[in-house]
Amino acid sequence: MRLKDKVAFITGGARGIGLGFAEAFVHEGARVVIADIDIDRATKAASGIGPEASAVHLDVTDLAAIERVVGETDKRLGGIDILVNNAAVFDMAPITDITEASYEKVFDINLKGPLFVMKAVANAMIARGKGGKIINMASQAGRRGEALVLLYCASKAAMISATQSAALGLVKHGINVNAIAPGVVDGEHWDIVDAHFAKWEGLAPGEKKAAVAKSVPIGRFATPDDIKGLAVFLASSDSDYILAQTYNVDGGNWMS
Ligand code: NAD
């Protein structure tokens, strides 16, 4: 029960990694709010977890909605102790083919949204005066360039940078900001990635995924279960002396 009586706000928690974190946090004694643009799926996810989880509609590109939803959650649950800035989208094109629409979508959801969610939650934590934990979802994609994945890689590199600056700005308030950089995690996100590679590299559906699975040093894709231990650690008091870090959980993928 490392998160007993804590309140966690998880964006994009209706499925995938965010849902895995929501389940793990409740298992550790927390109450969890799943804030997702897909409210039907978020509601189902919350009721599947049980009474300690609830769902709220949030589009992280809507800055007014962020302020409202964070304010209401803070009031309803008596304060937010943990934020997981997890919602993101994937898109793919080399520099010769990027579009303004893709740029705006990727950067609005993967960078601007998380920055303003961080701002709203940090201000609520400061006003409450009890500190807190902020976990940003970066990616191995933020650690290196990829010829076909320019915008997504750049958005995740920016999250690593924002984690460092926010951590240095918030440490005086007892708020620890860190990030997690997964490698390849199986689920709907990677089904989308695979479909993009199929289009750009002329591959059959599933071909890229199979090749990538073989190339990970540990020999397989991750599941959300492989990532959740670090999230619980970063959300708990065990990580009180840690800030501004981005940790890889990638089966050795980035190193290789
Ligand atoms: P996913 O695509 O399965 O889930 C993303 C969630 O975000 C969905 O529930 C979706 O409804 C929600 N969402 C999308 N746009 C939103 C918006 N505007 N407002 C609110 N919610 C929105 O992704 P995942 O695989 O679970 O990844 C979670 C995080 O981990 C993301 O930040 C992703 O970039 C990162 N990541 C994933 C992988 C991977 O291989 N899956 C690898 C590295 C990093």
Side-chain angles (χ1 to χ4, degrees):
M1 298 295 265
R2 281 174 291 173
L3 306 179
K4 192 164 166 27
D5 299 329
K6 300 292 183 191
V7 170
F9 186 81
I10 305 180
T11 68
R15 71 184 198 200
I17 296 170
L19 175 55
F21 288 2
E23 291 165 348
F25 285 11
V26 168
H27 187 70
E28 293 286 346
R31 284 176 293 156
V32 166
V33 176
I34 294 172
D36 203 290
I37 196 167
D38 185 344
I39 186 60
D40 291 343
R41 192 124 179 219
T43 305
K44 269 191 206 126
S47 63
I49 293 173
E52 302 307 324
S54 59
V56 62
H57 178 267
L58 179 65
D59 175 353
V60 299
T61 68
D62 182 343
L63 304 196
I66 290 172
E67 286 291 330
R68 179 176 45 75
V69 168
V70 167
E72 284 170 4
T73 302
D74 194 59
K75 217 169 159 186
R76 179 167 65 89
L77 295 178
I80 297 170
D81 301 288
I82 301 156
L83 162 66
V84 185
N85 235 336
N86 169 77
V89 288
F90 182 83
D91 203 2
M92 189 160 140
I95 184 63
T96 48
D97 292 76
I98 59 168
T99 63
E100 189 177 9
S102 173
Y103 170 84
E104 284 175 353
K105 184 175 169 198
V106 170
F107 273 80
D108 277 1
I109 298 173
N110 295 9
L111 182 63
K112 184 175 160 189
L115 292 185
F116 284 88
V117 173
M118 243 201 305
K119 176 186 173 183
V121 173
N123 279 322
M125 286 172 170
I126 291 166
R128 185 169 170 235
K130 291 191 171 176
K133 305 281 185 180
I134 295 177
I135 301 167
N136 291 322
M137 291 309 289
S139 171
Q140 68 176 16
R143 300 230 188 248
R144 64 179 189 207
E146 292 184 33
L148 292 172
V149 193
L150 188 147
L151 294 172
Y152 180 81
C153 287
S155 74
K156 291 299 181 179
M159 279 300 280
I160 294 172
S161 170
T163 297
Q164 295 165 350
S165 299
L168 295 174
L170 293 172
V171 63
K172 61 176 174 287
H173 300 290
I175 299 170
N176 301 66
V177 186
N178 291 290
I180 298 175
V184 288
V185 187
D186 207 359
E188 289 168 64
H189 170 100
W190 240 92
D191 294 341
I192 295 166
V193 176
D194 183 76
H196 278 282
F197 272 105
K199 180 185 134 199
W200 284 99
E201 293 186 335
L203 304 173
E207 208 176 333
K208 187 71 181 185
K209 215 168 163 180
V212 166
K214 271 194 205 143
S215 73
V216 180
I218 210 164
R220 62 171 175 84
F221 269 69
T223 69
D225 268 0
D226 293 309
I227 322 283
K228 71 181 185 194
L230 179 60
V232 169
F233 169 72
L234 291 175
S236 77
S237 59
D238 288 345
S239 63
D240 279 354
Y241 199 70
I242 298 174
L243 61 131
Q245 304 303 307
T246 297
Y247 290 101
N248 300 335
V249 186
D250 66 355
N253 212 27
W254 183 64
M255 183 63 73
S256 71

